[in-house]
Amino acid sequence: MVARQRTATDPQDELATRLRLLQELSGRGVRALARDTGLSSSSLSRYLSGQSVPPWPVVIELCRLVKRDPRPLRPLWDRAANPLPAPPKTSRQVQPPAPPAGAPRPPRNDLPRDVPDFTGRAEQLAAVLAAVTSSRVVAVDGMAGVGKTCLAVHAAHRLAADYPDAQLYLDLHGFTDGREPLDPDAALRALLAALDVPSEKIPQVGGIEPLAACWRSELAGRRAVVVLDNVASAEQVRPLLPGAGPSVALITSRNRLLGLEEVPPVSLDVLTPAESAELLARASGDPSGPDGRLARDPESAAEVLRLCGHLPLALRLAGARLRHRPGWTVGILVERMAEGADEFDTAFAMSVRQLDRTERRLFRLLGLLPGSSFDEYVAAALADIPLRGARTMLEDLLDAHLVQQPSAGRYTLHDLVRRHARRAAAEQDSPAEREQALGRVLDYYVHAAAAADAAMPNESGSRPASAGRPPAALPQFTGKHAALGWFATEYTNLMGAFEAAVATGADTHACELPRFMRAFFARRCGTTHLNVLFERSLGAAQRLADPRQLAEAHSDLGFARYNAGRLAEAGAAYEAAAPLVSQAGDTRSEADLVMRRGYLRWDEGHVEEPLDLFRLAGRLYTDAGCPMGAAHATAYEAWAMLQLGHREEAARLAREVLDITRDEPAWPAALTARVTLGMAIAHERSDEATAHLRQALAFAREDGHQHNEAWCLNCLGVALRRMGRYEEALASHRQAFALLDELFEEMWKIHFLNDYGETCRLAGLPGEALRLHRQALELAPKVGYRHKEAEAHEGIAAVLDETDPVAAAEHRAAAQAVREELTAGL
């Protein structure tokens, strides 16, 4: 050992003290103890005096002699064997500098930990790496527990240095007991989210092909390695494969994916007897040579290999039992394994039996979780235990190889372990106990989603959850970025919880969970999936027959329809919600509905009616004690006044909103007010106007809401045009449309096409102006924006005034006809 600085609480000294206690318990002198443990007297003396740290197998052997469990000594041994470097000698502790604001995030690495005892598979590993080199995609197939994931992850770690932009891992749950395989839509969205692709850039319509094209486009510019684990079929994984570019994918499946003819397969069989014996020895920590437990009892060792079926997963579980039970012989291990039902359950059940009663209960209940990975918070809720207890038990389960830890703070169950846990729960826990445990999980996800939503900028603030019972412990969300990160991590679990709520008739949970995910969907997942969730929430609300839940379900579905550009369906949903809101007597819900109707009527081409609705919503929010909602209504009232030409009143109302202090500068009311103010004063105070608009743009970008970013860019372009700064205005419009092109948001272009066209006309680009107005004229009727249709006719007329006055007059007449239709429909 190298000499080092020692302190009064040095773990090496503390470990030596504990070892001397073991010597006292043994009743042996140093020479006798050295003889019985196979050590030299000089080495043992150094260990007992604290001069050096013994290898961990020596600690195990000392504990075995006195029939003591070595596991409590492991943390102390780790600290002694791996001492932290001494801090610098300064007068005070200096904190490391914080990363600069706006610094790029490090590349995403989702790969599970590479196992330290990877054994054999040299030929298969070489085949995987060769296939990646030649084809960039490889499919590893084989039976359950044969080590497919282990091989793929090991290969991915080998490849990581050559693919530095991202190392991604996604479990497609093709063979997860009690769970449907992950569909390609959800898988693509999860992968795109892992690359931090904002939802506004992700296609929301058109099915799988646009999503797959977006995924391939993102990978084309990166050097990434992607592990797609537990694939059920070629159809499930084909859309997830990389296209052009250097990125590579490693697929695992229990089936041979014959449909992927272009993908080379690597099939795994069980380990050879020699490889199995080597893995068992390494997993058990058994010393090499004739004195090891396996070598002393070769017949029992061979029986362990047979009971494990030469499967790596079962071998590791069996080896872990020997490692942590130094008093066991290999024959005892065989006896315990023989009590199981098959080669998998024997290993799992044997491991579970070594746990205490509360740990066994937690393990069984973990098999009921509707999601994939999980953390200590949901484990605590599941078992109804304190958070600290859940953390300790999960660490014990991790040591026993009954749970896996793919990343810090996240845990998973292997498919076979999950199957065993579910089976054990069905046999040992009553239906009522299982139902209550699942209910606590659903309670947790609804209340945690509500807490995360409360940390996000919302139009009128968030409500607390009413479903179920609040859990004892919830994550703490320090801001919107922490909340967004939690939603992204828990996305598949939240969807699993929603499905479980629908399946078990937990209708209040099914109503509320999508409601608390709206702000997340706006930034990461788009509108298509949210529409589907709210359709199903409406069914749950109808079963509840609760007027308030039913009113909010109709209103939420209407708002989802509105955001997807389905204006007629949005109007129908709002009409259904209106009498229910009155019946429920919930002023806050009434204010939300009035505000949403104002948005809808505005986009349908009306101005006076939306203005009245925004004012009414403001009064209702005030009556409901919701100042955020009242401020948002005032901001939209200001916007409506601006469109009516009342610039001074619009500016006054906008400043009123901006005078309200908020910790979140990008909260919706302030963003709307700042844009309105900038547009209102553009004629008189150009510098102040552009400052407000550029600040709004910066806030939208920081918030990660690219629809709002495009809106701010368009408004900035209009304001710059009014100031006569045409080149700057054109640049701003072009940035807005570049964003919308990336987002595949054709519907949103209708908001901006005519503004862009007018800027082109005044900038001396009549051909471009005509093209843009005609594009608006084609798009407007498809999405129901009739007033934009009238604006397009007027824009075309303005362009044609000098070259074709007859056609110009025809377009003005058409614009007038549309406006008369809109007026007649009031």
Side-chain angles (χ1 to χ4, degrees), residues 308-556:
C308 289
H310 299 286
L311 289 166
L313 176 62
L315 289 164
R316 285 194 173 92
L317 288 167
R321 292 278 58 84
L322 275 181
R323 177 187 291 273
H324 294 296
R325 290 292 181 271
W328 277 14
T329 65
V330 185
I332 292 175
L333 175 65
V334 170
E335 292 174 4
R336 299 296 178 88
M337 292 179 66
E339 297 170 6
D342 55 40
E343 66 262 24
F344 300 116
D345 280 332
T346 53
F348 301 151
M350 178 272 301
S351 296
V352 172
R353 280 196 294 272
Q354 309 312 311
L355 306 174
D356 65 31
R357 183 178 59 82
T358 56
E359 290 172 338
R360 290 198 300 271
R361 174 176 175 268
L362 174 61
F363 171 72
R364 295 194 304 271
L365 294 179
L366 288 174
L368 306 178
L369 285 175
S372 49
S373 68
F374 56 93
D375 63 13
E376 59 199 32
Y377 287 96
V378 72
L382 172 73
D384 197 19
I385 57 178
L387 183 64
R388 179 177 295 182
R391 186 183 300 126
T392 300
M393 290 185 200
L394 287 172
E395 290 299 319
D396 288 342
L397 293 175
L398 185 65
D399 289 341
H401 294 268
L402 289 169
V403 301
Q404 298 167 306
Q405 191 174 41
S407 60
R410 302 297 300 180
Y411 301 89
T412 62
L413 293 178
H414 186 280
D415 288 351
L416 299 174
V417 178
R418 182 186 298 273
R419 184 190 70 179
H420 178 80
R422 289 172 66 90
R423 182 183 299 170
E427 294 172 353
Q428 300 176 44
D429 299 314
S430 70
E433 289 172 317
R434 299 197 301 273
E435 181 180 344
Q436 290 166 6
L438 181 58
R440 290 191 296 268
V441 171
L442 300 183
D443 290 349
Y444 167 78
Y445 277 120
V446 170
H447 285 270
D453 184 54
M456 306 270 284
N458 287 284
E459 287 84 355
S460 58
S462 296
R463 294 191 184 199
S466 65
R469 177 170 61 92
L474 285 173
Q476 298 300 307
F477 302 106
T478 55
K480 68 182 177 189
H481 295 299
L484 278 171
W486 182 86
F487 274 123
T489 299
E490 296 285 356
Y491 174 75
T492 56
N493 294 336
L494 289 163
M495 293 302 97
F498 178 81
E499 295 293 339
V502 173
T504 59
D507 289 328
T508 304
H509 298 75
C511 285
E512 294 191 344
L513 192 54
R515 194 170 299 150
F516 293 128
M517 295 185 70
R518 278 201 315 260
F520 168 70
F521 269 75
R523 291 163 177 79
R524 291 291 184 272
C525 299
T527 60
T528 304
H529 195 187
L530 192 59
N531 270 269
V532 174
L533 291 179
F534 277 131
E535 288 170 8
R536 300 175 70 187
S537 286
L538 178 58
Q542 288 168 337
R543 290 189 294 273
L544 286 172
D546 179 333
R548 186 182 70 82
Q549 288 284 10
L550 191 55
E552 292 197 1
H554 277 294
S555 180
D556 287 339

Side-chain angles (χ1 to χ4, degrees), residues 144-160:
V146 79
K148 303 179 294 297
T149 300
C150 186
L151 175 62
V153 168
H154 184 71
H157 279 281
R158 289 276 296 270
L159 294 166

Side-chain angles (χ1 to χ4, degrees), residues 16-78:
T17 300
R18 301 289 291 275
L19 296 181
R20 288 195 295 273
L21 290 174
L22 294 177
Q23 181 196 3
E24 292 177 12
L25 287 173
S26 73
R28 294 171 173 86
V30 172
R31 290 186 179 180
L33 187 60
R35 182 189 66 245
D36 292 343
T37 55
L39 299 171
S40 69
S41 298
S42 58
S43 295
L44 183 58
S45 294
R46 288 197 302 273
Y47 302 152
L48 295 175
S49 64
Q51 296 177 40
S52 60
V53 178
W56 178 242
V58 170
V59 178
I60 292 177
E61 189 63 17
L62 288 169
C63 291
R64 184 187 66 80
L65 284 175
V66 295
K67 296 181 171 54
R68 291 293 186 271
D69 188 347
R71 287 182 296 175
L73 291 178
R74 184 63 191 237
L76 177 60
W77 181 88
D78 284 336

